[in-house]
Amino acid sequence: MGLRRKNKSPPVLSHEFVIQNHADAVSCLAMGLLLGLMFEVTAKYVIIFITVQYNVTYSTDDKSEPIHFYEYGPKDIATIFFYMLLAIILHAVIQEYVLDKINRRLHLSKTKHSKFNESGQLAFFYLFSFAWGASILTAEEFMTNPTLLWKDYPHSHMFFQVKFFYVCQIAYWLHALPELYFQKIRKEDIPRQLYYICLYIAHISGAYVLNLQRLGLILLVPHYLVELIFHASRLFYFSDENKQKGFTLWALLFVMARLLTLTLSVLTFGFGLARVENPGFSIADGNFNVLTVRISCLAAICLTQAWMMWKFINFQLKKWREHIQNQIPKKKITCTKSKSTKKEPNRANFVNGAVKLEDGASPRTRKSKAL
C-alpha cells in the first residue's frame, strides 16, 4: 500500500507563502489593534485607528441635542490604514467563499478567470457603495437643490456618514494596490487596473482634502451605478455568452453619466464657486476657492472624462469589428451551401459510360459518315 503524498508547504516568507497567508497575517494585525482597546495604556493610541477623528460638536438653543460634525486631519491616515486592512480581509473572504466556488462550476479559462474575479470583487463594492452613497444623498437633499454644491463653501464640517464614506472609499482603493500582488494579476492586466485605481485615489482624495465632498459624492453615486451594471453584465456573460443585453444598457448610461459629470463640474467650478461670497485661499480654514485650483480641478475632471470616452469608443469599435468578422464566415458558408445544392447529373443514369434514359429508352445513335 503506497503512502499518500502530502502537498509541500512553501518556504516561510517566500512569495507563495505570503500570497497564500496574507489574509491570515492581516487578520492577526487587525485583531492586535482591537485587543489594544482592552488596555488603558494602549487604548488612547489604538482608538485613532478604529474610530473617526476630529469631532466638532455644536449646541443650539432651539434643539436640546447637540449637532456633531467632523473635520479631516493627519490622524485620518491611521483610520484609513485600519479600514484598508479590513478591506483586504473582506476581499479574501469574498474570493474564497463566493467567487472560487462559482469558478469551479463554470470551468473558465485563465483569461476569463481573472476577469471574472475582478468583476466579482468590484460588483460587490459598487453595489455596497451605491446603496450607501444614495442613502446619504437622500438624507442630505443634494439632488433636489444643486446650489448646495457650492453654497456656504468651504464645507469643512461633515456629518459622520459623509466622512466615514470617504474614509472607506480611500481605504478600499488603497487596498487594491497590494491586491495586484496578492491575486497574481497578469502582467498585461496590471497597467489597466493600475490606471483606474490611481484615478480613483486621486479624485476621491482630492475631493476630500479640498472640501468638495458634496460634489464628489454626487458624482460618485451615478458613476458607481454605471460600473455596477457593467461588471454585473460581464458576470452574466461569463456564465452564458448569449446574455449581452446588459452591455447595451451600460453603454447608454455610460454616456449619460459622462455628460452629467461634465455638466455638474462646469456648473460648480465655472459658475457656483466663482460667484461665492468668500473667495480666497486659506489652508487653516479649508478654503481653496481660487482660480488656479478651480481650473486645475475642472481640467482634471474633463481630461479624465475624455480619456474614459476614448476608451469607451475604442471598446465599442473593437466589438463592432469582431461582430463583422464573425458575420463574414457565415455568409461564405451559406454561399457554398447554395452552390452545392445546384442540380448535377445523376451518376446512376450512367451505365458503362453511356447515358441511360428513363422508361427504358436508349440514346439515339449517330450514323458515322464514310470518308
Side-chain angles (χ1 to χ4, degrees), residues 95-304:
Q95 183 66 43
E96 182 175 356
Y97 294 100
V98 179
L99 298 180
D100 286 347
K101 291 183 178 180
I102 299 175
N103 276 321
R104 295 191 192 100
R105 296 180 180 179
L106 297 178
H107 303 288
L108 300 174
S109 62
K110 290 184 179 180
T111 304
K112 291 184 177 181
H113 179 80
S114 177
K115 293 182 178 180
F116 183 87
N117 291 335
E118 179 188 2
S119 294
Q121 294 287 346
L122 291 176
F124 277 105
F125 170 73
Y126 287 138
L127 177 62
F128 175 76
S129 298
F130 170 74
W132 190 6
S135 64
I136 297 174
L137 288 179
T138 304
E140 297 294 332
E141 299 180 354
F142 294 153
M143 299 294 291
T144 57
N145 189 7
T147 58
L148 294 176
L149 296 177
W150 59 81
K151 187 178 180 181
D152 299 329
Y153 182 85
H155 308 137
S156 56
H157 293 161
M158 297 172 282
F159 288 104
F160 172 78
Q161 289 292 336
V162 176
K163 176 164 184 175
F164 192 48
F165 177 83
Y166 272 91
V167 168
C168 292
Q169 292 294 314
I170 298 173
Y172 179 85
W173 291 113
L174 284 176
H175 111 280
L177 294 175
E179 286 294 342
L180 296 176
Y181 171 73
F182 294 146
Q183 297 298 322
K184 294 182 178 180
I185 304 299
R186 299 185 308 166
K187 291 183 179 180
E188 55 268 25
D189 292 337
I190 289 178
R192 177 183 59 83
Q193 296 189 23
L194 198 60
Y195 286 153
Y196 72 74
I197 290 171
C198 293
L199 285 175
Y200 274 118
I201 294 174
H203 284 74
I204 296 174
S205 302
Y208 183 67
V209 172
L210 298 177
N211 289 321
L212 297 170
Q213 300 90 358
R214 298 179 182 180
L215 178 63
L217 187 62
I218 203 172
L219 294 182
L220 276 177
V221 171
H223 174 74
Y224 280 169
L225 175 61
V226 174
E227 293 299 313
L228 171 63
I229 294 174
F230 171 74
H231 289 285
S233 301
R234 194 155 75 163
L235 291 175
F236 286 118
Y237 173 76
F238 288 145
S239 61
D240 186 1
E241 294 186 356
N242 295 323
K243 297 179 179 179
Q244 300 184 13
K245 295 181 179 179
F247 292 109
T248 305
L249 177 61
W250 164 74
L252 295 175
L253 294 179
F254 183 88
V255 177
M256 294 175 62
R258 303 288 73 79
L259 294 176
L260 178 64
T261 301
L262 291 174
T263 303
L264 291 177
S265 300
V266 172
L267 186 64
T268 302
F269 293 108
F271 297 96
L273 292 177
R275 299 179 182 180
V276 78
E277 295 180 357
N278 56 344
F281 183 82
S282 177
I283 298 178
D285 297 332
N287 190 359
F288 302 93
N289 189 14
V290 292
L291 182 61
T292 305
V293 176
R294 291 199 303 268
I295 292 177
S296 300
C297 293
L298 185 59
I301 294 175
C302 292
L303 289 175
T304 303

Side-chain angles (χ1 to χ4, degrees), residues 3-17:
L3 296 176
R4 185 178 298 175
R5 294 182 179 180
K6 296 182 180 180
N7 295 328
K8 293 183 179 180
S9 58
V12 180
L13 298 181
S14 63
H15 290 287
E16 284 296 327
F17 180 84

Side-chain angles (χ1 to χ4, degrees), residues 6-68:
K6 296 182 180 180
N7 295 328
K8 293 183 179 180
S9 58
V12 180
L13 298 181
S14 63
H15 290 287
E16 284 296 327
F17 180 84
V18 173
I19 292 172
Q20 291 181 8
N21 301 282
H22 75 275
D24 297 331
V26 172
S27 300
C28 293
L29 181 58
M31 288 297 297
L33 292 174
L34 292 174
L35 289 175
L37 296 173
M38 301 176 61
F39 305 98
E40 186 177 357
V41 179
T42 57
K44 59 183 178 180
Y45 300 105
V46 176
I47 199 69
I48 301 174
F49 290 87
I50 300 172
T51 61
V52 179
Q53 302 297 310
Y54 301 104
N55 181 17
V56 179
T57 304
Y58 290 94
S59 58
T60 58
D61 298 334
D62 298 337
K63 297 182 179 180
S64 58
E65 296 182 358
I67 303 176
H68 299 281

